[in-house]
Amino acid sequence: MPRLLLATLLGLLACGDGGASRTTLDYYFTYDPRSLDPALSTDVPTGEMAALLFDNLTQFDPEGSLKPSLARRWEVSPDGLRYTFHLRTDATFHDGRPVSADDVRKSLERTLALERSGARGWPLHPIRGARAFAAGTRRGVEGIAVPNDSTVVFTLEEPLNIFPKLLAMPATAVVPTPVPQGFDQAPVGSGPWRFVSWAHDDALVLARHPTYWGGPPLADTLRIRIIPEPLTQAAEYEAGHLSIVEIPFGETSRWQRTRPAELQRRPALRVLYIAMNVTRGPLADPRVRRALNHAVDVPTMLRTIMGGRGLPSAGALPPGVSGHDSSRAPFGYDTTAARRLLTEAGYPQGFSLKLWRTQRAELARIAQSVQQNLAAVGVRAEIVERDASSARAASTKGEADLFLTDWYGDYPDPENFAYPLFHSRNRGAGGNRAFFADAAIDSLILAARATPDLAEAARLWQEIDRRVFEAAPWIFLWFPVDLWAVRPDVEGYRIPAIFNGQRWRDVRRAR
């Protein structure tokens, strides 16, 4: 869409409603969404758009808590295998059609059917028969039943206490049946915002859904611009053209000095780490892995590279999820301890290995610092820089000694930071890039996933995290801290704990 036409459209939106004052919020993405079809949500912009335009059975709020959405309530059978969701009756799509239980069933089946075309169907794999349906060997999904217009029943392959959280993920959003033509470019959902326009690589424009079941958004228009460069984003914010902006790590001190009242902080559901392939040479010895942890000066890197925006990690579970143990001490920076452990393991002169990383700019200085730290204890690390797909492929195949990377939470639960990263089922492509395998930890993870007792689950996750930390399959670095600026005339915005937890419904411009 040409800029003049976009400006004219926004002007009409601003002047509608009998000439009353209308409000516009301005957000941004660093790149275009892959699609506006939630089934194809494999990137953050597409996932954020899905949260604005669509509803799920459940949803996350900005604090990361699970809330009812299209399902007003649900219950689980005593054996943990059957979940029954009761739908609200006042939800409608943007074209006025009511949302039914059959829409839910067909939406989830559609996501599974599109899996071979790039859809993200794995959140639905716990449902009985879902994998077979996605593979094309079954005509329906055995574990989805619709006994009436307002009830959906799921039967799972095995007990899974996080299942309601999986139904809040973008790919499990509910879409109308049949899906309109051109849906991926001009979607119809039931969420708090309606689609207006998409000028590729320029801006997306949304308007409030006036009859939204949860109450319409407080603002009238949400404009999402595509601004790739962080410095341009900051300049647009400072010029008053963006409602919020994320602060680059290198700019932290300046913003803290010049605009402290506008800043919000939140520990991210993200962990930065170096996976050590425990099947390769010296790294098979836990003493070596602990030595490498002691050799890395995390506090100095946090101060000099990250602007202090991180919490040293003593495990994989970030603050804000159950099982995180804030009292556990990280591996301290201690070159004497590192050398002692290397000598005990039979490597008094050290050894050589390769440290792989992607071409993300923020990882370059971290890799260089780690290289220097390891050299100080006799470990010679060659940095291997590749594009993201090549680096990940090497790590997935087990070809990388060390792999510097991070993990963003798909959903706010400790399971997401344990099962994919450390269970032996997931070695390699499943997310376990350390190729770590421990039968006792595997058993504890499966028990924590299955128990309906949340207090017991939290205890198990903490125990799992402690054991993983002691086994040291990673060089544990830090949990990053998000820092955003919010303009003084913007009310109600909170940094979301999870990427699809902020739907902008309670955000407005002060009059």
Side-chain angles (χ1 to χ4, degrees):
M1 178 182 293
R3 291 180 182 271
L4 179 59
L5 180 56
L6 176 60
T8 301
L9 175 59
L10 291 173
L12 290 172
L13 287 169
C15 296
D17 199 22
S21 176
R22 312 274 293 188
T23 58
T24 298
L25 297 167
D26 289 285
Y27 184 41
Y28 68 96
F29 295 147
T30 57
Y31 55 91
D32 247 3
R34 173 191 178 190
S35 169
L36 298 186
D37 185 339
L40 301 178
S41 173
T42 56
D43 61 287
V44 170
T46 301
E48 290 192 52
M49 289 301 298
L52 300 171
L53 295 167
F54 298 91
D55 284 321
N56 294 52
L57 288 176
T58 60
Q59 66 183 28
F60 299 118
D61 68 10
E63 301 307 311
S65 298
L66 189 69
K67 300 293 183 182
S69 185
L70 291 176
R72 53 189 173 84
R73 64 182 177 87
W74 60 90
E75 62 258 2
V76 58
S77 61
D79 62 5
L81 288 174
R82 189 173 64 258
Y83 283 82
T84 302
F85 289 82
H86 303 278
L87 275 57
R88 63 181 64 255
T89 58
D90 55 350
T92 61
F93 290 108
H94 298 149
D95 59 7
R97 285 183 285 171
V99 180
S100 70
D102 202 48
D103 288 312
V104 175
R105 178 181 63 81
K106 290 179 178 176
S107 293
L108 303 185
E109 289 180 345
R110 174 178 179 269
T111 295
L112 288 167
L114 290 173
E115 197 168 332
R116 284 168 289 174
S117 302
R120 198 179 198 188
W122 66 261
L124 301 172
H125 287 176
I127 301 170
R128 184 174 295 170
R131 292 175 186 268
F133 178 81
T137 59
R138 287 284 187 91
R139 296 188 62 182
V141 180
E142 177 187 353
I144 303 179
V146 180
N148 56 57
D149 287 344
S150 61
T151 307
V152 183
V153 181
F154 298 96
T155 303
L156 307 186
E157 297 280 5
E158 60 186 22
L160 185 62
N161 52 25
I162 62 162
F163 181 67
K165 293 185 177 182
L166 298 181
L167 296 180
M169 293 185 64
T172 64
V174 177
V175 304
T177 304
V179 170
Q181 188 174 5
F183 182 74
D184 64 326
Q185 300 294 306
V188 175
S190 65
W193 298 93
R194 295 183 294 111
F195 175 81
V196 175
S197 65
W198 183 7
H200 284 269
D201 297 315
D202 185 8
L204 298 108
V205 179
L206 311 180
R208 71 203 294 258
H209 181 187
T211 58
Y212 184 61
W213 58 263
L218 299 180
D220 298 294
T221 306
L222 178 60
R223 176 172 49 195
I224 304 171
R225 298 170 57 195
I226 309 302
I227 309 177
E229 295 298 327
L231 293 180
T232 305
Q233 298 159 9
E236 288 292 283
Y237 174 89
E238 293 181 285
H241 300 152
L242 288 176
S243 299
I244 65 171
V245 71
E246 184 174 15
I247 310 304
F249 289 106
E251 291 281 291
T252 300
S253 60
R254 180 175 77 85
W255 284 76
Q256 288 176 333
R257 184 177 65 254
T258 60
R259 295 175 179 259
E262 299 173 24
L263 300 181
Q264 290 186 18
R265 285 176 172 263
R266 180 189 285 277
L269 288 182
R270 176 185 170 202
V271 58
L272 189 81
Y273 66 98
I274 300 173
M276 293 185 275
N277 188 330
V278 301
T279 68
R280 293 179 68 89
L283 298 177
D285 192 322
R287 292 171 297 183
V288 170
R289 303 197 297 267
R290 294 187 192 109
L292 268 55
N293 270 282
H294 280 301
V296 174
D297 188 355
V298 169
T300 296
M301 282 193 286
L302 274 175
R303 185 177 68 254
T304 59
I305 299 175
M306 304 295 290
R309 283 167 49 191
L311 304 171
S313 58
L317 300 185
V321 302
S322 61
H324 172 76
D325 186 353
S326 60
S327 67
R328 187 186 304 134
F331 285 101
Y333 175 53
D334 187 338
T335 56
T336 300
R339 287 187 176 277
R340 185 187 72 250
L341 286 165
L342 288 172
T343 299
E344 289 177 6
Y347 301 97
Q349 305 304 315
F351 53 90
S352 298
L353 46 66
K354 293 184 178 181
L355 167 59
W356 288 67
R357 74 169 183 88
T358 66
Q359 294 172 328
R360 279 167 46 190
E362 69 181 89
L363 300 182
R365 290 182 63 193
I366 296 172
Q368 291 168 0
S369 294
V370 170
Q371 182 186 49
Q372 293 168 5
N373 288 164
L374 295 181
V377 299
V379 176
R380 298 165 294 281
E382 175 188 347
I383 295 175
V384 180
E385 176 188 332
R386 295 288 187 272
D387 63 87
S389 61
S390 298
R392 291 192 186 110
S395 174
T396 296
K397 294 174 184 176
E399 297 171 354
D401 299 316
L402 306 180
F403 183 52
L404 172 59
T405 188
D406 56 3
W407 179 268
Y408 285 84
D410 289 305
Y411 42 92
D413 194 277
E415 190 271 356
N416 192 226
F417 290 84
Y419 177 66
L421 298 174
F422 302 112
H423 196 284
S424 60
R425 289 178 183 172
N426 296 313
R427 284 175 292 182
N432 181 351
R433 299 185 184 277
F435 287 78
F436 179 70
D438 182 292
I441 290 176
D442 280 355
S443 179
L444 287 170
I445 288 174
L446 295 182
R449 282 162 52 96
T451 179
D453 185 331
L454 297 183
E456 172 63 7
R459 186 194 69 78
L460 288 171
W461 290 125
Q462 188 171 91
E463 173 66 11
I464 291 162
D465 200 43
R466 181 187 66 79
R467 292 185 181 218
V468 166
F469 180 65
E470 291 176 353
W474 292 356
I475 296 177
F476 295 91
L477 296 177
W478 54 79
F479 304 114
V481 173
D482 289 336
L483 182 68
W484 289 73
V486 181
R487 290 200 61 80
D489 64 343
V490 174
E491 300 175 342
Y493 182 85
R494 299 297 300 166
I495 300 172
I498 193 73
F499 69 98
N500 62 338
Q502 177 55 267
R503 306 182 82 193
W504 292 79
R505 193 170 65 87
D506 299 319
V507 186
R508 66 181 175 184
R509 297 278 294 275
R511 303 252 178 178

